[in-house]
Amino acid sequence: SGSFYNCRNLTTVNIGATVANIGEYAFAGTNINKFNVDEGNAVYSTSNGKDYLLSKDGKTLLLVAPGAKGAFTLTGVNAIGYGAFAGNGNITSVYMPDATYVADYAFSECRGLKSVTLGKLDYVGSYSFFLTDITELPEFSDNITEIGSYAFAFTLIDNVVIKNGMTIGEGAFTECAKITSIVIGKNVTIGTSA
């Protein structure tokens, strides 16, 4: 992990057919704005020249280029992978209406991120929206059972509605100073400092 950390002149990555694993935060601190993936690669895919990497089946967003800026739009993708946007301070909004799964650290420390439009979420991982500037919670599906630890900590959300039967992880809403309203459903378990 962190293989090319802070290689600021790095702007394009060509991924060969035999590349099977890219470690966590491998390209953090770079200025990559384009990925090219060999068609024979069994793990990764993209529309060559795009600023993101997908799983081979195209259903999971694995990584957004650190150099990506402004509004990010992607349809037909069901899941946002571990740390996919993490640390990108230049993304201001995300529109992924088919995404229902947000993995741990997916948007963590995306300090310029103001809004997200996603599908009704079935899963929200730990630290998934930590230290972003979102002002509204994404919509939750009826199937969601848990919000991960510190998932929305240090955000600007102002209204929280917790559905019946959910488990709220430790610190999930810590330091959300803008919250003015909380509605908690029945049989909810709330973690420490949530």
Side-chain angles (χ1 to χ4, degrees):
S1 62
S3 300
F4 298 96
Y5 179 75
N6 270 348
C7 293
R8 298 199 186 280
N9 291 324
L10 184 58
T11 59
T12 302
V13 175
N14 297 307
I15 299 171
T18 60
V19 175
N21 183 39
I22 297 173
E24 296 170 10
Y25 309 108
F27 304 114
T30 69
N31 285 306
I32 294 169
N33 56 31
K34 182 167 61 170
F35 291 104
N36 296 307
V37 179
D38 188 289
E39 289 180 18
N41 190 292
V43 178
Y44 302 105
S45 68
T46 192
S47 297
N48 279 335
K50 294 292 186 180
D51 58 0
Y52 56 83
L53 281 178
L54 300 172
S55 58
K56 186 64 174 183
D57 66 4
K59 296 297 182 188
T60 301
L61 175 66
L62 300 173
L63 180 62
V64 173
K69 296 178 179 161
F72 183 89
T73 298
L74 188 61
T75 58
V77 172
N78 304 113
I80 301 169
Y82 182 99
F85 289 85
N88 185 323
N90 299 315
I91 296 283
T92 56
S93 66
V94 172
Y95 179 79
M96 294 181 66
D98 304 308
T100 58
Y101 181 99
V102 179
D104 296 350
Y105 297 92
F107 297 99
S108 184
E109 297 189 44
C110 290
R111 296 175 189 227
L113 183 61
K114 309 261 187 254
S115 69
V116 290
T117 302
L118 306 171
K120 289 184 179 183
L121 298 181
D122 294 324
Y123 182 83
V124 177
S126 295
Y127 293 89
S128 50
F129 295 91
F130 178 81
L131 265 176
T132 65
D133 283 346
I134 62 169
T135 58
E136 294 180 11
L137 284 178
E139 194 171 350
F140 301 134
S141 79
D142 290 335
N143 299 325
I144 194 166
T145 59
E146 181 178 357
I147 293 176
S149 297
Y150 299 93
F152 297 99
F154 295 92
T155 63
L156 301 178
I157 58 173
D158 60 4
N159 183 30
V160 176
V161 177
I162 306 299
K163 293 183 176 235
N164 295 340
M166 289 183 69
T167 297
I168 308 305
E170 178 181 347
F173 297 98
T174 291
E175 296 291 335
C176 291
K178 301 278 184 183
I179 291 178
T180 58
S181 172
I182 299 173
V183 177
I184 300 173
K186 297 176 184 174
N187 302 316
V188 171
T189 302
I190 299 175
T192 305
S193 301

Short mmCIF file of all heavy atoms in Angstrom, two decimals, residues 77-144:
data_model
loop_
_atom_site.label_atom_id
_atom_site.label_comp_id
_atom_site.label_asym_id
_atom_site.label_seq_id
_atom_site.Cartn_x
_atom_site.Cartn_y
_atom_site.Cartn_z
N VAL A 77 -23.24 1.19 -11.58
CA VAL A 77 -22.31 0.62 -10.61
C VAL A 77 -23.04 0.46 -9.29
O VAL A 77 -23.66 1.41 -8.80
CB VAL A 77 -21.07 1.54 -10.45
CG1 VAL A 77 -20.18 1.07 -9.32
CG2 VAL A 77 -20.29 1.59 -11.75
N ASN A 78 -22.97 -0.74 -8.69
CA ASN A 78 -23.73 -1.05 -7.48
C ASN A 78 -22.99 -0.80 -6.18
O ASN A 78 -23.62 -0.63 -5.13
CB ASN A 78 -24.17 -2.52 -7.49
CG ASN A 78 -24.95 -2.87 -8.72
OD1 ASN A 78 -24.49 -3.64 -9.55
ND2 ASN A 78 -26.12 -2.29 -8.89
N ALA A 79 -21.65 -0.81 -6.22
CA ALA A 79 -20.88 -0.70 -4.98
C ALA A 79 -19.73 0.28 -5.14
O ALA A 79 -19.13 0.39 -6.22
CB ALA A 79 -20.35 -2.07 -4.58
N ILE A 80 -19.42 0.97 -4.05
CA ILE A 80 -18.26 1.87 -3.98
C ILE A 80 -17.28 1.20 -3.04
O ILE A 80 -17.58 0.98 -1.87
CB ILE A 80 -18.67 3.27 -3.49
CG1 ILE A 80 -19.71 3.87 -4.45
CG2 ILE A 80 -17.44 4.17 -3.38
CD1 ILE A 80 -20.38 5.12 -3.95
N GLY A 81 -16.12 0.84 -3.56
CA GLY A 81 -15.15 0.04 -2.83
C GLY A 81 -14.39 0.77 -1.75
O GLY A 81 -14.45 2.00 -1.61
N TYR A 82 -13.62 -0.01 -0.99
CA TYR A 82 -12.81 0.46 0.12
C TYR A 82 -11.91 1.62 -0.32
O TYR A 82 -11.10 1.47 -1.24
CB TYR A 82 -11.95 -0.69 0.64
CG TYR A 82 -11.09 -0.36 1.83
CD1 TYR A 82 -11.49 -0.71 3.11
CD2 TYR A 82 -9.87 0.29 1.68
CE1 TYR A 82 -10.70 -0.42 4.21
CE2 TYR A 82 -9.08 0.59 2.77
CZ TYR A 82 -9.50 0.24 4.03
OH TYR A 82 -8.71 0.53 5.12
N GLY A 83 -12.09 2.78 0.29
CA GLY A 83 -11.23 3.93 0.03
C GLY A 83 -11.27 4.46 -1.39
O GLY A 83 -10.35 5.15 -1.82
N ALA A 84 -12.33 4.18 -2.14
CA ALA A 84 -12.38 4.52 -3.57
C ALA A 84 -12.11 6.00 -3.85
O ALA A 84 -11.42 6.33 -4.81
CB ALA A 84 -13.72 4.10 -4.18
N PHE A 85 -12.67 6.90 -3.06
CA PHE A 85 -12.48 8.33 -3.23
C PHE A 85 -11.56 8.93 -2.16
O PHE A 85 -11.27 10.12 -2.20
CB PHE A 85 -13.81 9.07 -3.13
CG PHE A 85 -14.77 8.89 -4.27
CD1 PHE A 85 -15.63 7.80 -4.30
CD2 PHE A 85 -14.83 9.81 -5.29
CE1 PHE A 85 -16.53 7.64 -5.34
CE2 PHE A 85 -15.73 9.67 -6.34
CZ PHE A 85 -16.58 8.58 -6.36
N ALA A 86 -11.15 8.15 -1.19
CA ALA A 86 -10.51 8.64 0.03
C ALA A 86 -9.41 9.67 -0.23
O ALA A 86 -8.54 9.47 -1.07
CB ALA A 86 -9.94 7.48 0.83
N GLY A 87 -9.52 10.77 0.49
CA GLY A 87 -8.50 11.81 0.43
C GLY A 87 -8.58 12.75 -0.74
O GLY A 87 -7.81 13.71 -0.82
N ASN A 88 -9.52 12.54 -1.66
CA ASN A 88 -9.63 13.43 -2.81
C ASN A 88 -10.39 14.69 -2.40
O ASN A 88 -11.61 14.68 -2.25
CB ASN A 88 -10.33 12.75 -3.98
CG ASN A 88 -10.34 13.62 -5.23
OD1 ASN A 88 -10.48 14.83 -5.16
ND2 ASN A 88 -10.18 13.00 -6.38
N GLY A 89 -9.68 15.79 -2.24
CA GLY A 89 -10.30 17.04 -1.82
C GLY A 89 -10.85 17.87 -2.97
O GLY A 89 -11.39 18.95 -2.76
N ASN A 90 -10.72 17.35 -4.21
CA ASN A 90 -11.16 18.11 -5.38
C ASN A 90 -12.52 17.69 -5.92
O ASN A 90 -13.07 18.36 -6.78
CB ASN A 90 -10.12 17.98 -6.50
CG ASN A 90 -8.78 18.53 -6.08
OD1 ASN A 90 -8.71 19.61 -5.50
ND2 ASN A 90 -7.73 17.79 -6.34
N ILE A 91 -13.05 16.57 -5.45
CA ILE A 91 -14.38 16.13 -5.86
C ILE A 91 -15.39 16.91 -5.03
O ILE A 91 -15.31 16.94 -3.81
CB ILE A 91 -14.57 14.61 -5.62
CG1 ILE A 91 -13.62 13.79 -6.48
CG2 ILE A 91 -16.01 14.19 -5.83
CD1 ILE A 91 -14.00 13.66 -7.92
N THR A 92 -16.36 17.55 -5.71
CA THR A 92 -17.34 18.38 -4.99
C THR A 92 -18.71 17.71 -4.87
O THR A 92 -19.47 18.00 -3.95
CB THR A 92 -17.52 19.74 -5.69
OG1 THR A 92 -17.87 19.51 -7.05
CG2 THR A 92 -16.21 20.54 -5.62
N SER A 93 -19.03 16.82 -5.82
CA SER A 93 -20.31 16.11 -5.75
C SER A 93 -20.16 14.75 -6.44
O SER A 93 -19.32 14.59 -7.33
CB SER A 93 -21.44 16.91 -6.40
OG SER A 93 -21.22 17.04 -7.79
N VAL A 94 -20.98 13.81 -5.99
CA VAL A 94 -20.98 12.47 -6.57
C VAL A 94 -22.41 12.08 -6.90
O VAL A 94 -23.30 12.18 -6.05
CB VAL A 94 -20.36 11.43 -5.61
CG1 VAL A 94 -20.53 10.02 -6.15
CG2 VAL A 94 -18.88 11.74 -5.38
N TYR A 95 -22.61 11.64 -8.16
CA TYR A 95 -23.91 11.16 -8.61
C TYR A 95 -23.72 9.72 -9.09
O TYR A 95 -23.15 9.48 -10.15
CB TYR A 95 -24.45 12.04 -9.74
CG TYR A 95 -25.78 11.58 -10.28
CD1 TYR A 95 -26.95 11.87 -9.60
CD2 TYR A 95 -25.87 10.87 -11.47
CE1 TYR A 95 -28.19 11.46 -10.09
CE2 TYR A 95 -27.10 10.46 -11.97
CZ TYR A 95 -28.25 10.75 -11.27
OH TYR A 95 -29.47 10.34 -11.75
N MET A 96 -24.15 8.78 -8.26
CA MET A 96 -24.07 7.35 -8.57
C MET A 96 -25.39 6.70 -8.13
O MET A 96 -25.45 6.04 -7.11
CB MET A 96 -22.87 6.70 -7.88
CG MET A 96 -21.53 7.20 -8.38
SD MET A 96 -20.11 6.41 -7.56
CE MET A 96 -20.29 4.71 -8.12
N PRO A 97 -26.46 6.90 -8.89
CA PRO A 97 -27.80 6.52 -8.44
C PRO A 97 -28.05 5.03 -8.29
O PRO A 97 -29.05 4.62 -7.70
CB PRO A 97 -28.70 7.12 -9.53
CG PRO A 97 -27.83 7.15 -10.74
CD PRO A 97 -26.46 7.47 -10.23
N ASP A 98 -27.14 4.19 -8.81
CA ASP A 98 -27.31 2.74 -8.70
C ASP A 98 -26.51 2.13 -7.55
O ASP A 98 -26.63 0.94 -7.26
CB ASP A 98 -26.91 2.08 -10.02
CG ASP A 98 -27.70 2.64 -11.19
OD1 ASP A 98 -28.94 2.66 -11.09
OD2 ASP A 98 -27.09 3.09 -12.16
N ALA A 99 -25.67 2.92 -6.89
CA ALA A 99 -24.82 2.42 -5.81
C ALA A 99 -25.63 2.26 -4.52
O ALA A 99 -26.25 3.21 -4.04
CB ALA A 99 -23.65 3.35 -5.57
N THR A 100 -25.62 1.05 -3.96
CA THR A 100 -26.34 0.76 -2.72
C THR A 100 -25.42 0.27 -1.61
O THR A 100 -25.88 0.00 -0.51
CB THR A 100 -27.44 -0.30 -2.96
OG1 THR A 100 -26.83 -1.49 -3.47
CG2 THR A 100 -28.49 0.22 -3.95
N TYR A 101 -24.14 0.16 -1.91
CA TYR A 101 -23.15 -0.34 -0.95
C TYR A 101 -21.99 0.64 -0.92
O TYR A 101 -21.40 0.93 -1.96
CB TYR A 101 -22.67 -1.72 -1.41
CG TYR A 101 -21.65 -2.38 -0.51
CD1 TYR A 101 -22.04 -3.35 0.41
CD2 TYR A 101 -20.30 -2.05 -0.58
CE1 TYR A 101 -21.11 -3.97 1.23
CE2 TYR A 101 -19.37 -2.67 0.24
CZ TYR A 101 -19.78 -3.64 1.13
OH TYR A 101 -18.86 -4.25 1.95
N VAL A 102 -21.67 1.15 0.28
CA VAL A 102 -20.54 2.08 0.45
C VAL A 102 -19.58 1.46 1.45
O VAL A 102 -19.89 1.34 2.64
CB VAL A 102 -21.02 3.47 0.93
CG1 VAL A 102 -19.83 4.40 1.12
CG2 VAL A 102 -22.01 4.07 -0.06
N ALA A 103 -18.42 1.04 0.98
CA ALA A 103 -17.44 0.34 1.80
C ALA A 103 -16.73 1.28 2.77
O ALA A 103 -16.85 2.51 2.68
CB ALA A 103 -16.41 -0.36 0.91
N ASP A 104 -15.98 0.69 3.68
CA ASP A 104 -15.18 1.45 4.63
C ASP A 104 -14.30 2.47 3.90
O ASP A 104 -13.74 2.16 2.85
CB ASP A 104 -14.27 0.53 5.45
CG ASP A 104 -15.03 -0.46 6.32
OD1 ASP A 104 -16.26 -0.33 6.46
OD2 ASP A 104 -14.38 -1.37 6.87
N TYR A 105 -14.21 3.65 4.47
CA TYR A 105 -13.32 4.72 4.00
C TYR A 105 -13.63 5.20 2.57
O TYR A 105 -12.82 5.92 1.98
CB TYR A 105 -11.85 4.30 4.08
CG TYR A 105 -11.37 4.03 5.48
CD1 TYR A 105 -11.43 2.75 6.01
CD2 TYR A 105 -10.89 5.05 6.29
CE1 TYR A 105 -11.01 2.49 7.32
CE2 TYR A 105 -10.47 4.79 7.59
CZ TYR A 105 -10.54 3.51 8.09
OH TYR A 105 -10.13 3.27 9.38
N ALA A 106 -14.76 4.85 2.01
CA ALA A 106 -15.05 5.16 0.60
C ALA A 106 -14.85 6.63 0.25
O ALA A 106 -14.24 6.96 -0.76
CB ALA A 106 -16.47 4.72 0.24
N PHE A 107 -15.37 7.54 1.08
CA PHE A 107 -15.25 8.98 0.83
C PHE A 107 -14.44 9.68 1.93
O PHE A 107 -14.43 10.90 2.01
CB PHE A 107 -16.63 9.63 0.76
CG PHE A 107 -17.49 9.14 -0.36
CD1 PHE A 107 -18.47 8.18 -0.14
CD2 PHE A 107 -17.33 9.64 -1.64
CE1 PHE A 107 -19.28 7.73 -1.17
CE2 PHE A 107 -18.13 9.20 -2.68
CZ PHE A 107 -19.10 8.24 -2.45
N SER A 108 -13.78 8.92 2.76
CA SER A 108 -13.09 9.48 3.91
C SER A 108 -12.13 10.60 3.53
O SER A 108 -11.35 10.48 2.59
CB SER A 108 -12.31 8.35 4.60
OG SER A 108 -11.70 8.83 5.77
N GLU A 109 -12.26 11.70 4.25
CA GLU A 109 -11.39 12.88 4.09
C GLU A 109 -11.46 13.51 2.70
O GLU A 109 -10.51 14.13 2.24
CB GLU A 109 -9.95 12.55 4.48
CG GLU A 109 -9.85 12.17 5.94
CD GLU A 109 -8.43 12.03 6.44
OE1 GLU A 109 -7.59 12.89 6.11
OE2 GLU A 109 -8.18 11.05 7.18
N CYS A 110 -12.62 13.41 2.05
CA CYS A 110 -12.88 14.16 0.82
C CYS A 110 -13.47 15.50 1.24
O CYS A 110 -14.67 15.72 1.23
CB CYS A 110 -13.87 13.41 -0.08
SG CYS A 110 -13.20 11.92 -0.80
N ARG A 111 -12.60 16.39 1.66
CA ARG A 111 -13.03 17.62 2.32
C ARG A 111 -13.78 18.60 1.42
O ARG A 111 -14.47 19.47 1.90
CB ARG A 111 -11.83 18.28 2.97
CG ARG A 111 -11.28 17.40 4.08
CD ARG A 111 -10.02 17.93 4.69
NE ARG A 111 -9.45 16.94 5.57
CZ ARG A 111 -9.02 17.19 6.79
NH1 ARG A 111 -9.07 18.39 7.27
NH2 ARG A 111 -8.53 16.23 7.52
N GLY A 112 -13.68 18.43 0.12
CA GLY A 112 -14.44 19.29 -0.79
C GLY A 112 -15.79 18.73 -1.16
O GLY A 112 -16.59 19.39 -1.83
N LEU A 113 -16.09 17.50 -0.72
CA LEU A 113 -17.34 16.83 -1.10
C LEU A 113 -18.52 17.44 -0.36
O LEU A 113 -18.60 17.37 0.87
CB LEU A 113 -17.24 15.34 -0.80
CG LEU A 113 -18.43 14.48 -1.21
CD1 LEU A 113 -18.67 14.55 -2.71
CD2 LEU A 113 -18.23 13.04 -0.76
N LYS A 114 -19.44 18.03 -1.11
CA LYS A 114 -20.59 18.72 -0.53
C LYS A 114 -21.88 17.91 -0.63
O LYS A 114 -22.76 18.04 0.21
CB LYS A 114 -20.81 20.07 -1.22
CG LYS A 114 -19.57 20.93 -1.29
CD LYS A 114 -19.55 21.96 -0.22
CE LYS A 114 -18.42 22.92 -0.39
NZ LYS A 114 -17.34 22.75 0.53
N SER A 115 -22.01 17.09 -1.68
CA SER A 115 -23.25 16.34 -1.85
C SER A 115 -23.00 15.00 -2.53
O SER A 115 -22.10 14.87 -3.35
CB SER A 115 -24.27 17.15 -2.65
OG SER A 115 -23.86 17.28 -3.99
N VAL A 116 -23.82 14.01 -2.13
CA VAL A 116 -23.79 12.70 -2.76
C VAL A 116 -25.21 12.29 -3.10
O VAL A 116 -26.12 12.47 -2.29
CB VAL A 116 -23.14 11.62 -1.86
CG1 VAL A 116 -21.65 11.85 -1.71
CG2 VAL A 116 -23.79 11.55 -0.51
N THR A 117 -25.39 11.79 -4.30
CA THR A 117 -26.66 11.22 -4.72
C THR A 117 -26.38 9.76 -5.05
O THR A 117 -25.68 9.46 -6.02
CB THR A 117 -27.24 11.95 -5.94
OG1 THR A 117 -27.40 13.33 -5.62
CG2 THR A 117 -28.57 11.35 -6.36
N LEU A 118 -26.89 8.88 -4.20
CA LEU A 118 -26.67 7.45 -4.35
C LEU A 118 -28.02 6.75 -4.36
O LEU A 118 -29.05 7.37 -4.11
CB LEU A 118 -25.81 6.93 -3.18
CG LEU A 118 -24.49 7.65 -2.93
CD1 LEU A 118 -23.86 7.19 -1.63
CD2 LEU A 118 -23.53 7.43 -4.10
N GLY A 119 -28.01 5.43 -4.61
CA GLY A 119 -29.22 4.65 -4.46
C GLY A 119 -29.56 4.51 -2.99
O GLY A 119 -28.84 5.00 -2.12
N LYS A 120 -30.65 3.85 -2.69
CA LYS A 120 -31.00 3.59 -1.29
C LYS A 120 -29.99 2.60 -0.73
O LYS A 120 -29.88 1.47 -1.20
CB LYS A 120 -32.41 3.04 -1.18
CG LYS A 120 -33.47 4.06 -1.49
CD LYS A 120 -34.85 3.49 -1.27
CE LYS A 120 -35.89 4.55 -1.56
NZ LYS A 120 -37.25 4.07 -1.30
N LEU A 121 -29.25 3.03 0.28
CA LEU A 121 -28.11 2.26 0.77
C LEU A 121 -28.51 1.07 1.63
O LEU A 121 -29.29 1.20 2.57
CB LEU A 121 -27.16 3.16 1.54
CG LEU A 121 -26.53 4.31 0.74
CD1 LEU A 121 -25.58 5.11 1.63
CD2 LEU A 121 -25.79 3.77 -0.49
N ASP A 122 -27.90 -0.09 1.32
CA ASP A 122 -28.04 -1.31 2.11
C ASP A 122 -26.90 -1.45 3.11
O ASP A 122 -27.00 -2.19 4.07
CB ASP A 122 -28.01 -2.56 1.20
CG ASP A 122 -29.20 -2.63 0.28
OD1 ASP A 122 -30.30 -2.24 0.69
OD2 ASP A 122 -29.03 -3.11 -0.86
N TYR A 123 -25.79 -0.75 2.83
CA TYR A 123 -24.60 -0.88 3.68
C TYR A 123 -23.83 0.43 3.70
O TYR A 123 -23.60 1.03 2.64
CB TYR A 123 -23.69 -2.00 3.17
CG TYR A 123 -22.47 -2.21 4.02
CD1 TYR A 123 -22.53 -3.00 5.17
CD2 TYR A 123 -21.26 -1.61 3.72
CE1 TYR A 123 -21.41 -3.18 5.98
CE2 TYR A 123 -20.14 -1.79 4.52
CZ TYR A 123 -20.22 -2.57 5.64
OH TYR A 123 -19.12 -2.75 6.44
N VAL A 124 -23.44 0.86 4.90
CA VAL A 124 -22.60 2.05 5.08
C VAL A 124 -21.44 1.64 5.98
O VAL A 124 -21.63 1.37 7.16
CB VAL A 124 -23.38 3.22 5.71
CG1 VAL A 124 -22.46 4.40 5.96
CG2 VAL A 124 -24.56 3.63 4.84
N GLY A 125 -20.24 1.59 5.43
CA GLY A 125 -19.08 1.12 6.16
C GLY A 125 -18.49 2.14 7.12
O GLY A 125 -18.86 3.32 7.13
N SER A 126 -17.54 1.69 7.91
CA SER A 126 -16.85 2.55 8.87
C SER A 126 -16.06 3.63 8.15
O SER A 126 -15.47 3.38 7.10
CB SER A 126 -15.91 1.71 9.73
OG SER A 126 -16.64 0.80 10.52
N TYR A 127 -16.09 4.82 8.71
CA TYR A 127 -15.37 5.98 8.18
C TYR A 127 -15.75 6.31 6.73
O TYR A 127 -15.03 7.00 6.04
CB TYR A 127 -13.85 5.78 8.28
CG TYR A 127 -13.33 5.75 9.68
CD1 TYR A 127 -13.25 4.56 10.40
CD2 TYR A 127 -12.91 6.92 10.31
CE1 TYR A 127 -12.77 4.53 11.70
CE2 TYR A 127 -12.42 6.89 11.62
CZ TYR A 127 -12.36 5.70 12.31
OH TYR A 127 -11.89 5.67 13.59
N SER A 128 -16.88 5.83 6.26
CA SER A 128 -17.22 5.98 4.84
C SER A 128 -17.39 7.43 4.39
O SER A 128 -17.02 7.76 3.26
CB SER A 128 -18.44 5.15 4.49
OG SER A 128 -19.49 5.40 5.39
N PHE A 129 -17.93 8.31 5.22
CA PHE A 129 -18.11 9.72 4.86
C PHE A 129 -17.36 10.64 5.84
O PHE A 129 -17.61 11.84 5.89
CB PHE A 129 -19.59 10.09 4.84
CG PHE A 129 -20.37 9.38 3.78
CD1 PHE A 129 -20.99 8.16 4.05
CD2 PHE A 129 -20.47 9.90 2.51
CE1 PHE A 129 -21.71 7.49 3.07
CE2 PHE A 129 -21.19 9.24 1.53
CZ PHE A 129 -21.80 8.03 1.81
N PHE A 130 -16.46 10.08 6.60
CA PHE A 130 -15.69 10.79 7.62
C PHE A 130 -14.98 12.02 7.03
O PHE A 130 -14.36 11.94 5.98
CB PHE A 130 -14.66 9.81 8.19
CG PHE A 130 -13.73 10.38 9.22
CD1 PHE A 130 -14.13 10.50 10.54
CD2 PHE A 130 -12.45 10.77 8.88
CE1 PHE A 130 -13.26 11.00 11.51
CE2 PHE A 130 -11.58 11.27 9.84
CZ PHE A 130 -11.98 11.39 11.14
N LEU A 131 -15.13 13.15 7.71
CA LEU A 131 -14.46 14.41 7.32
C LEU A 131 -14.79 14.87 5.90
O LEU A 131 -13.93 15.30 5.15
CB LEU A 131 -12.95 14.29 7.48
CG LEU A 131 -12.37 14.80 8.79
CD1 LEU A 131 -10.87 14.53 8.86
CD2 LEU A 131 -12.64 16.26 9.01
N THR A 132 -16.07 14.75 5.54
CA THR A 132 -16.54 15.36 4.29
C THR A 132 -17.43 16.54 4.66
O THR A 132 -17.78 16.72 5.82
CB THR A 132 -17.35 14.37 3.43
OG1 THR A 132 -18.56 14.00 4.14
CG2 THR A 132 -16.54 13.12 3.10
N ASP A 133 -17.81 17.33 3.67
CA ASP A 133 -18.68 18.47 3.92
C ASP A 133 -20.11 18.22 3.47
O ASP A 133 -20.85 19.15 3.15
CB ASP A 133 -18.13 19.72 3.23
CG ASP A 133 -16.97 20.34 3.99
OD1 ASP A 133 -16.75 19.97 5.16
OD2 ASP A 133 -16.27 21.19 3.41
N ILE A 134 -20.53 16.93 3.46
CA ILE A 134 -21.92 16.66 3.08
C ILE A 134 -22.85 17.24 4.13
O ILE A 134 -22.53 17.29 5.31
CB ILE A 134 -22.19 15.15 2.86
CG1 ILE A 134 -21.97 14.34 4.13
CG2 ILE A 134 -21.37 14.61 1.69
CD1 ILE A 134 -22.47 12.91 4.05
N THR A 135 -24.01 17.70 3.67
CA THR A 135 -24.98 18.33 4.57
C THR A 135 -26.22 17.46 4.79
O THR A 135 -27.03 17.76 5.65
CB THR A 135 -25.42 19.70 4.02
OG1 THR A 135 -25.96 19.52 2.72
CG2 THR A 135 -24.24 20.66 3.98
N GLU A 136 -26.38 16.41 3.98
CA GLU A 136 -27.53 15.52 4.10
C GLU A 136 -27.09 14.07 4.09
O GLU A 136 -26.17 13.70 3.35
CB GLU A 136 -28.51 15.74 2.95
CG GLU A 136 -29.16 17.09 2.93
CD GLU A 136 -30.12 17.24 1.76
OE1 GLU A 136 -30.44 16.23 1.10
OE2 GLU A 136 -30.55 18.37 1.51
N LEU A 137 -27.77 13.26 4.88
CA LEU A 137 -27.51 11.82 4.85
C LEU A 137 -28.00 11.25 3.53
O LEU A 137 -29.04 11.67 3.00
CB LEU A 137 -28.27 11.11 5.97
CG LEU A 137 -27.74 11.22 7.38
CD1 LEU A 137 -28.68 10.48 8.33
CD2 LEU A 137 -26.35 10.66 7.49
N PRO A 138 -27.31 10.25 2.99
CA PRO A 138 -27.87 9.53 1.85
C PRO A 138 -29.12 8.78 2.32
O PRO A 138 -29.31 8.57 3.52
CB PRO A 138 -26.76 8.54 1.46
CG PRO A 138 -25.58 8.87 2.28
CD PRO A 138 -26.01 9.77 3.39
N GLU A 139 -29.93 8.36 1.39
CA GLU A 139 -31.15 7.63 1.74
C GLU A 139 -30.79 6.18 2.05
O GLU A 139 -29.95 5.58 1.38
CB GLU A 139 -32.13 7.69 0.57
CG GLU A 139 -33.51 7.26 0.94
CD GLU A 139 -34.53 7.53 -0.16
OE1 GLU A 139 -34.21 8.23 -1.13
OE2 GLU A 139 -35.65 7.01 -0.04
N PHE A 140 -31.44 5.61 3.07
CA PHE A 140 -31.20 4.23 3.47
C PHE A 140 -32.33 3.34 2.97
O PHE A 140 -33.49 3.74 3.00
CB PHE A 140 -31.09 4.10 4.99
CG PHE A 140 -30.00 4.93 5.60
CD1 PHE A 140 -30.24 5.69 6.72
CD2 PHE A 140 -28.73 4.95 5.06
CE1 PHE A 140 -29.24 6.46 7.30
CE2 PHE A 140 -27.72 5.71 5.63
CZ PHE A 140 -27.98 6.46 6.75
N SER A 141 -32.00 2.12 2.57
CA SER A 141 -33.02 1.15 2.17
C SER A 141 -33.66 0.56 3.43
O SER A 141 -33.17 0.74 4.54
CB SER A 141 -32.42 0.04 1.32
OG SER A 141 -31.77 -0.91 2.15
N ASP A 142 -34.72 -0.19 3.24
CA ASP A 142 -35.35 -0.88 4.36
C ASP A 142 -34.49 -2.06 4.83
O ASP A 142 -34.73 -2.61 5.90
CB ASP A 142 -36.75 -1.37 3.96
CG ASP A 142 -37.72 -0.22 3.78
OD1 ASP A 142 -37.50 0.86 4.39
OD2 ASP A 142 -38.69 -0.37 3.03
N ASN A 143 -33.51 -2.46 4.03
CA ASN A 143 -32.66 -3.61 4.36
C ASN A 143 -31.44 -3.25 5.19
O ASN A 143 -30.75 -4.14 5.69
CB ASN A 143 -32.18 -4.30 3.08
CG ASN A 143 -33.33 -4.82 2.25
OD1 ASN A 143 -34.33 -5.26 2.79
ND2 ASN A 143 -33.19 -4.76 0.95
N ILE A 144 -31.15 -1.98 5.34
CA ILE A 144 -29.94 -1.60 6.08
C ILE A 144 -30.11 -1.95 7.56
O ILE A 144 -31.17 -1.75 8.13
CB ILE A 144 -29.59 -0.11 5.89
CG1 ILE A 144 -28.16 0.17 6.39
CG2 ILE A 144 -30.63 0.79 6.52
CD1 ILE A 144 -27.61 1.50 5.95
#
